[in-house]
């Protein structure tokens, strides 16, 4: 009998609910972390001394990183500073979303074509400095569509980058405020279609910032995951990472549910207990990815969302790295890259 | 390892792993914690604070003798809150109080805060101030509670120079990253946890910004995954003596060796 993904998730989700697993919690971890004490067959807490081995064993890949705030006068120096901590935390490889610093350290909220070129140049520098540690994204602002398509050719088709990053891309309606799923009236995001189409042709992955803040959008162009998955549905050959799963994860997880080419990025919010368990329960473990959102966040707080979750150890391994390796394989293969 | 920032009972807006005292104690012991300073989530919104603190004290005795150290909730905007301070200190033998000014509707420059600090200093109570409990961006839209502004502490603590104060959950949502940090970081009786301290190696930055003797391990468990603060200590790469101090020594010194017996 054939069963589609939505039906499968519905059935398995209900089964989990019936067992009590994942709906609330169980009081004791189902599978302990495999620290040295555990590997030795002795029950005992994980210690700081165990962590180098334990973290490395997960082969962590990080789907959401920025270099902007790391120490260093140049992008290459920021790469060195970042890798110092990535090595310590056992992070093998990262999807780099932005590298350039603009004055205060962040990227401009509405970059013009010149800003885009500058940002993407810095990202290329980072990838060239550590090609076995970073995948890189070209930053997009669809308000400058021709410039975006040019940047895709320059940085992806003819350059080393493998993904696209969107932040605050299209204005909202005047007066839009907090709303559980859309911040207001849904917008027409068809302006993204040509870029998604080109990404599909190049097998590039897309990371789109999404948030649904209780206090309203932090920027007039902020998107919710409910809006972005509608674009993804029109481009089923494109892999879409929903940045932060909308922040308000108890809502955002529902946006991703049942959209086969959309994935929950756990990054960039507080390490609130239950987040990962709910994502696994509703989406299936293959649709959940670890990301950190460094350097504004830490590797530590974000890895804890997976290591601390009451899920199986095999699930931890998929979320921390296995899923991203699977999803990056098509673009890496197309570019002749080893992963 | 001493965890200076845990809570008992149920978070008002979500069920959490470890939100019953028995499983919380088991889970924390399994993670290597030897003592936990615990307040009650009930203290955020309940108004019968005497009941809140009596249940906390009873649970600490029943489920975590010599492990759970109860910190009473005080709301200085409730009638006869001074009596509840007395009960926490004299009846329940609590070594400290935990304040939630943002949930209780006052700021630290409110005269009530000064009176509470003075009373706590007189009873030799450690005062913990929870700067935030949850990112305001993810709060229930009907209960939007911004973080506490710790700035007035600079003046407030000068008026109670012997009082020991610990800021909890400062950092990402206020506190250690605010414009007041320059002033308050110099206060010698002001201590910190780092459950909400963010950025890579944020604990090392907090230690550098304040003092290796005034940073204490705190997890904000069970609202946060315990492993977050644990991994932050590792990520910081502190010298061994500072790591030991942060994990246990500073807390032991701050509260005194008799705390667990209370």
């Amino acid at each position: 009998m054939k069963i589609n993904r939505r039906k499968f998730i519905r059935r398995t989700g209900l089964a989990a609910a019936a067992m009590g697993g994942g709906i609330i919690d169980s009081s004791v971890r189902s599978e302990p972390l495999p620290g040295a004490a555990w590997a030795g067959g002795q029950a005992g807490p994980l210690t700081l001394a165990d962590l180098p081995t334990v973290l490395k064993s997960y082969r962590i890949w990080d789907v959401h990183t920025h270099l902007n705030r790391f120490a260093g006068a140049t992008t290459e120096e920021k790469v060195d500073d970042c890798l110092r901590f990535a090595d310590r935390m056992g992070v093998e490889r990262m999807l780099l979303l932005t590298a350039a610093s603009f004055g205060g350290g962040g990227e401009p909220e509405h970059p013009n074509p010149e800003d885009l070129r500058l940002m993407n140049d810095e990202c290329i520098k980072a990838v060239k400095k550590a090609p076995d540690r970073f995948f890189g994204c070209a930053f997009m602002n669809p308000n400058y569509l021709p410039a975006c398509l040019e940047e895709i050719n320059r940085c992806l088709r003819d350059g080393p980058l493998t993904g696209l990053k969107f932040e605050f891309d299209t204005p909202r309606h005047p007066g839009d405020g907090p709303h559980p799923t859309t911040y207001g009236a849904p917008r027409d995001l068809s302006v993204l279609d040509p870029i998604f189409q080109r990404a599909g042709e190049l097998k590039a992955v897309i990371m789109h910032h999404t948030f649904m803040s209780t206090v309203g959008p932090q920027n007039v162009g902020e998107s919710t995951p409910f809006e972005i998955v509608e674009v993804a549905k029109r481009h089923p050959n494109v892999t879409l990472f929903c940045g932060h799963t909308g922040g308000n994860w108890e809502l955002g997880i529902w946006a991703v549910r049942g959209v086969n080419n959309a994935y929950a990025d756990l990054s960039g919010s507080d390490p609130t207990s239950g987040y990962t368990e709910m994502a696994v329960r509703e989406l299936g473990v293959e649709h959940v990815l670890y990301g950190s959102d460094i350097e504004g966040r830490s590797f530590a707080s974000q890895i804890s969302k997976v290591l601390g979750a009451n899920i199986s150890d095999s699930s931890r391994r998929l979320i921390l790295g296995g899923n991203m390796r699977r999803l990056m394989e098509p673009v890496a293969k197309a570019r002749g890259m080893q992963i | 390892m001493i965890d200076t920032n845990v809570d008992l009972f149920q978070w008002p807006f979500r069920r959490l792993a470890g939100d019953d005292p028995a499983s919380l104690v088991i889970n924390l012991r399994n993670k290597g914690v030897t003592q936990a300073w615990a307040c009650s989530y009930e203290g955020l919104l309940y108004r019968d604070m005497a009941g809140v603190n009596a249940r906390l004290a009873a649970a600490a005795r029943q489920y975590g003798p010599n492990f759970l150290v109860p910190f009473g909730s005080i709301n200085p905007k409730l009638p006869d809150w001074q009596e509840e301070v007395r009960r926490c200190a004299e009846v329940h033998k609590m070594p400290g109080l935990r304040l939630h000014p943002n949930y209780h509707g006052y700021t630290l420059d409110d005269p009530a805060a000064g009176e509470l600090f003075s009373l706590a200093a007189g009873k030799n109570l450690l005062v913990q101030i929870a700067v935030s409990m949850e990112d305001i961006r993810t709060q229930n839209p009907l209960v939007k509670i911004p973080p506490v502004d710790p700035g007035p502490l600079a003046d407030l603590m000068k008026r109670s120079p012997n009082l020991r104060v610990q800021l909890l959950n400062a950092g990402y949502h206020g506190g250690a990253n605010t414009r007041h940090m320059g002033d308050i970081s110099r206060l010698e009786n002001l201590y910190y946890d780092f459950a909400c301290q963010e950025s890579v190696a944020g604990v090392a930055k907090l230690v550098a910004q304040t003092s290796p003797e005034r940073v204490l391990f705190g997890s904000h468990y069970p609202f946060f995954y315990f492993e977050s603060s644990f991994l932050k200590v590792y990520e910081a790469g502190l010298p061994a003596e500072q790591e030991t101090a942060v994990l246990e020594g500073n807390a032991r010194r701050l509260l005194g060796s008799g705390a667990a017996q209370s």
Side-chain angles (χ1 to χ4, degrees):
Chain A
M1 182 180 70
K2 284 192 79 170
I3 183 167
N4 67 28
R5 180 169 172 264
R6 185 178 285 275
K7 280 181 182 169
F8 173 77
I9 288 172
R10 189 179 300 134
R11 289 181 186 182
T12 53
L14 287 173
M19 292 187 294
I23 290 294
I24 301 178
D25 41 74
S26 59
S27 58
V28 182
R29 186 190 304 286
S30 58
E31 281 186 52
L33 294 173
W38 294 103
Q42 299 169 358
L46 189 70
T47 67
L48 293 177
D50 296 326
L51 285 175
T53 308
V54 170
L55 290 169
K56 197 171 180 187
S57 76
Y58 283 101
R59 297 200 57 212
I60 300 170
W61 283 32
D62 189 327
V63 78
H64 196 133
T65 64
H66 303 272
L67 277 183
N68 316 45
R69 297 186 201 173
F70 278 97
T74 65
T75 290
E76 287 81 358
E77 289 175 3
K78 290 174 189 291
V79 166
D80 289 338
D81 191 44
C82 173
L83 291 181
R84 197 159 56 90
F85 293 104
D87 289 346
R88 183 167 181 80
M89 299 306 290
V91 177
E92 278 185 8
R93 200 146 187 167
M94 294 165 269
L95 183 61
L96 180 60
L97 308 181
T98 57
S101 297
F102 286 79
E107 62 269 11
E109 290 183 342
H110 302 288
N112 60 35
E114 188 182 342
D115 295 331
L116 291 176
R117 277 191 294 276
L118 193 155
M119 294 168 75
N120 297 336
D121 282 347
E122 297 305 311
C123 197
I124 288 170
K125 284 182 193 171
V127 170
K128 285 186 172 173
K129 163 84 175 169
D132 55 340
R133 303 299 296 276
F134 287 112
F135 294 107
C137 285
F139 205 91
M140 298 281 105
N141 181 349
N143 294 298
Y144 301 99
L145 182 59
C148 286
L149 296 174
E150 273 180 36
E151 283 298 282
I152 291 173
N153 284 340
R154 183 176 78 90
C155 302
L156 277 76
R157 186 194 65 189
D158 305 328
L161 304 188
T162 47
L164 305 178
K165 170 64 167 53
F166 295 84
E167 191 83 7
F168 306 125
D169 46 33
T170 55
R172 309 204 65 83
H173 302 282
D176 277 358
H179 184 278
T181 56
T182 66
Y183 279 149
R187 294 173 296 161
D188 174 15
L189 291 177
S190 58
V191 67
L192 299 179
D193 283 325
I195 301 176
F196 271 60
Q197 184 180 336
R198 185 69 179 127
E201 291 165 3
L202 295 172
K203 301 188 188 307
V205 297
I206 290 180
M207 167 66 77
H208 202 300
H209 169 90
T210 65
F211 223 92
M212 293 179 289
S213 171
T214 296
V215 291
Q218 61 180 309
N219 185 287
V220 292
E222 188 162 65
S223 299
T224 78
F226 287 93
E227 294 173 317
I228 296 306
V229 298
E230 291 304 316
V231 185
K233 286 176 186 172
R234 297 197 292 270
H235 302 274
N237 60 330
V238 172
T239 294
L240 171 70
F241 304 130
C242 268
H244 319 301
T245 318
N248 249 315
W249 49 268
E250 286 167 308
L251 307 176
I253 285 170
W254 297 103
V256 181
R257 187 173 186 268
V259 183
N260 202 40
N261 56 322
Y263 297 83
D265 157 28
L266 299 178
S267 79
S269 53
D270 282 343
T272 42
S273 178
Y275 183 176
T276 308
E277 289 90 331
M278 180 178 169
V280 169
R281 185 190 78 207
E282 295 300 333
L283 306 179
V285 66
E286 290 81 5
H287 275 72
V288 184
L289 289 97
Y290 152 75
S292 64
D293 203 11
I294 55 165
E295 205 274 328
R297 293 281 182 173
S298 58
F299 289 118
S301 65
Q302 307 302 305
I303 290 173
S304 80
K305 291 175 179 172
V306 189
L307 289 191
N310 191 21
I311 54 178
S312 69
D313 203 53
S314 59
S315 294
R316 291 190 193 112
R317 290 180 190 284
L318 285 173
I319 297 169
L320 284 171
N323 288 339
M324 189 173 159
R325 278 187 282 281
R326 184 185 76 245
L327 294 170
M328 295 305 294
E329 193 175 341
V331 66
K333 209 169 183 177
R335 312 296 295 279
M337 299 164 66
Q338 291 283 341
I339 61 172
Chain B
M1 181 162 39
I2 296 178
D3 191 337
T4 65
N5 182 9
V6 307
D7 282 281
L8 298 193
F9 307 121
Q10 289 184 14
W11 174 248
F13 305 100
R14 183 183 303 136
R15 292 301 306 273
L16 304 168
D19 65 8
D20 65 285
S23 60
L24 177 135
V25 169
I26 291 170
N27 289 351
L28 288 177
R29 285 191 192 278
N30 284 343
K31 294 169 194 296
V33 174
T34 55
Q35 184 183 103
W37 302 359
C39 191
S40 169
Y41 285 135
E42 294 179 349
L44 296 175
L45 300 174
Y46 287 27
R47 291 191 289 190
D48 172 14
M49 219 54 95
V52 167
N53 290 325
R55 282 189 292 279
L56 173 68
R61 278 193 305 272
Q62 182 177 351
Y63 297 102
N66 298 318
F67 181 82
L68 290 176
V69 180
F71 276 63
S73 295
I74 296 294
N75 179 351
K77 291 298 178 182
L78 291 176
D80 207 6
W81 59 269
Q82 296 89 342
E83 167 62 8
E84 191 51 31
V85 174
R86 187 194 69 78
R87 291 184 193 182
C88 286
E90 297 174 14
V91 177
H92 303 311
K93 308 293 185 193
M94 293 175 176
L97 310 172
R98 191 174 295 176
L99 310 182
H100 298 94
N102 48 350
Y103 281 79
H104 295 162
Y106 67 98
T107 55
L108 291 176
D109 54 8
D110 189 306
E115 188 185 346
L116 174 50
F117 272 41
S118 177
L119 193 56
K123 295 183 181 300
N124 197 28
L125 293 167
L126 168 63
V127 171
Q128 295 183 318
I129 300 172
V131 172
S132 68
M133 293 297 285
E134 183 182 14
D135 185 343
I136 192 171
R137 297 172 301 174
T138 62
Q139 290 174 347
N140 185 300
L142 298 179
V143 190
K144 289 185 265 192
I145 300 172
V148 176
D149 177 3
L153 281 175
D155 289 331
L156 196 56
M157 290 184 67
K158 282 179 194 158
R159 284 187 265 143
S160 297
N162 296 324
L163 183 67
R164 298 155 298 146
V165 175
Q166 185 187 9
L167 284 186
L168 304 179
N169 304 334
Y172 198 80
H173 306 299
N177 287 344
T178 70
R179 60 195 162 86
H180 304 290
M181 195 57 190
D183 292 331
I184 64 175
S185 65
R186 288 192 288 272
L187 297 171
E188 290 186 357
N189 282 352
L190 186 59
Y191 298 77
Y192 302 84
D193 90 328
F194 46 82
C196 290
Q197 184 70 23
E198 280 290 0
S199 83
V200 174
V203 175
K205 291 170 188 164
L206 182 62
V207 165
Q209 198 175 15
T210 59
S211 158
E213 287 84 37
R214 293 191 283 121
V215 176
L216 287 66
F217 183 89
S219 67
H220 198 14
Y221 181 82
F223 185 68
F224 279 3
Y225 291 113
F226 173 87
E227 284 74 8
S228 175
S229 283
F230 186 66
L231 288 168
K232 283 178 184 176
V233 175
Y234 175 72
E235 186 179 74
L238 298 171
E241 67 275 15
Q242 287 186 12
E243 194 173 274
T244 305
V246 164
L247 286 173
E248 185 169 339
N250 292 342
R252 199 169 291 288
R253 196 181 64 252
L254 176 60
L255 207 54
S257 56
Q261 278 69 43
S262 71

